[in-house]
Amino acid sequence: MPVAARECLKLVDDPNGGMLRVAAALGRDPVIAPLVLRRARSALLGTHTPVKTMEQAVARLGSRQLRSILLDICTRRLFESKNPAIRRATRGLWEHSLAVAILSRAIARRRRDVDPEAAYLAGLLHDVGKPVAASLLLEVERTLATNHEWLSKDAWVDFIEECHREVGVALARSWELQDDVVFAIACSQRYSVDGPGSISSVVCFANALAKSQGIYTGAFDTDAVQGLIRDGLGLFKIEQEQLDTLFTELRDGNADYAAGSS
C-alpha cells in the first residue's frame, strides 16, 4: 500500500487524527491526491460549492467515504500491469470486482446487520489475489530468463485459480483490514453458516449476480451460478422487482464510478 494511503487510513481511523492532517498527508502523494480531488468533485452531496483544495475535498467526503475511496484507489492499482497480456486480462477482472462491490453495497444497504462500506470493500477485494498472483508468476518467469515456455496458458490459469484466495487473504491482512472482510475474501464462493448477516454471504450473492449479467472474465458453471442466485433470493428475501432495482443500482454505480475516474 502506498505510504500516503496507509498514513491517511490510520489518521482516518484515529478519532484524534484530524482531517487537516489527513489532507496534508494526501497532498504529499502526487498520484493519489488528484484522484481524491476528482472523486470529491464528482460526489453528489447536496452542494454546488466547487472543490479546489485537498482540505475541501476531505471535508466534502468525510472520513467514511474517504476511507472507501483510498482503499478503492489502492486496490485499482493492483489490477494494473506494465505487461500487456496481464493488463488485458485484469481489465475484465477489475470490471467484475467493481460490479461485485457495487452490488454488495446495494444488498447490504437493505439490511441493518451488515456494514455497506465493509461489504463494498470485500466485494472489491474478493478476487484481488488473481492479479497479484499473476504479477508474481511474471516476476518468476523473468528471473528464469528462458526462451522456453515455462507454464502453459492452462497451467497458468489453473495455478492462479488454485491459490488466489490465499493470496488475497494475505494482502488483506497486510493492509490490516477487519476480520469479516478477510473472511469474506477467503470464503466468498459459498454462503456462510451465519446467514444473510454475514459479509461473506453478501459477496457470494453479489458475485453470482454479476456473473449472471455477463460481467466476468473466463468460464464459469452457469448452473452453479443460477443455483447460488436462487439460494440467495431466498436467503435475502428478494423479489424480482427488488432484483431489477439491484441491477439498476449496478448500472448507476458503474456510471458514477466512470464519471469520478474520468
Side-chain angles (χ1 to χ4, degrees):
M1 182 181 293
V3 175
R6 184 179 292 274
E7 181 182 351
C8 288
L9 287 172
K10 287 182 178 179
L11 289 170
V12 166
D13 291 336
D14 180 359
N16 300 314
M19 298 306 276
L20 287 178
R21 291 172 62 193
V22 172
L26 282 173
R28 291 193 291 270
D29 190 300
V31 175
I32 294 179
L35 294 174
V36 172
L37 281 170
R38 197 175 302 154
R39 294 288 190 88
R41 287 167 180 157
S42 67
L44 300 177
L45 300 176
T47 176
H48 299 288
T49 305
V51 173
K52 297 181 179 180
T53 68
M54 187 57 66
E55 289 83 359
Q56 291 172 339
V58 168
R60 169 172 289 192
L61 294 170
S63 60
R64 193 176 183 82
Q65 191 171 359
L66 179 61
R67 189 178 195 280
S68 291
I69 287 173
L70 286 172
L71 288 168
D72 185 286
I73 291 171
C74 293
T75 303
R76 180 69 181 92
R77 291 171 65 168
L78 295 174
F79 286 79
E80 296 171 346
S81 172
K82 294 180 181 179
N83 180 275
I86 295 180
R87 188 166 58 247
R88 285 193 297 271
T90 55
R91 183 180 299 119
L93 188 57
W94 169 252
E95 291 171 355
H96 170 71
S97 296
L98 182 61
V100 174
I102 293 170
L103 285 168
S104 295
R105 182 160 56 191
I107 294 166
R109 282 174 173 166
R110 287 161 169 76
R111 303 191 59 83
R112 295 183 178 180
D113 52 358
V114 182
D115 178 0
E117 294 308 319
Y120 177 91
L121 179 59
L124 197 68
L125 290 171
H126 81 286
D127 272 350
V128 74
K130 291 182 179 180
V132 175
S135 297
L136 291 172
L137 285 176
L138 183 63
E139 289 301 318
V140 172
E141 191 174 39
R142 285 171 178 161
T143 61
L144 292 176
T146 177
N147 293 324
H148 300 289
E149 184 179 60
W150 174 50
L151 285 177
S152 68
K153 181 179 179 182
D154 289 342
W156 176 288
V157 171
D158 288 345
F159 179 83
I160 291 174
E161 283 292 334
E162 181 69 25
C163 75
H164 79 90
R165 296 195 186 281
E166 288 84 352
V167 175
V169 166
L171 176 79
R173 285 179 174 156
S174 75
W175 282 9
E176 300 176 358
L177 300 181
Q178 60 202 69
D179 290 342
D180 51 359
V181 171
V182 176
F183 181 79
I185 295 169
C187 304
S188 61
Q189 75 275 25
R190 59 183 180 274
Y191 291 113
S192 169
V193 294
D194 294 329
S198 166
I199 290 178
S200 179
S201 293
V202 171
V203 174
C204 179
F205 186 37
N207 189 23
L209 291 176
K211 288 179 179 179
S212 75
Q213 297 300 294
I215 309 175
Y216 188 71
T217 298
F220 60 87
D221 187 331
T222 303
D223 291 337
V225 166
Q226 290 301 320
L228 286 171
I229 292 175
R230 284 194 301 272
D231 292 344
L233 291 173
L235 186 65
F236 291 95
K237 295 180 173 55
I238 291 178
E239 303 293 338
Q240 184 60 49
E241 184 178 345
Q242 294 171 304
L243 186 60
D244 293 340
T245 301
L246 283 175
F247 290 141
T248 299
E249 290 182 45
L250 171 61
R251 291 191 293 272
D252 292 345
N254 275 323
D256 289 344
Y257 185 92
S261 302
S262 60

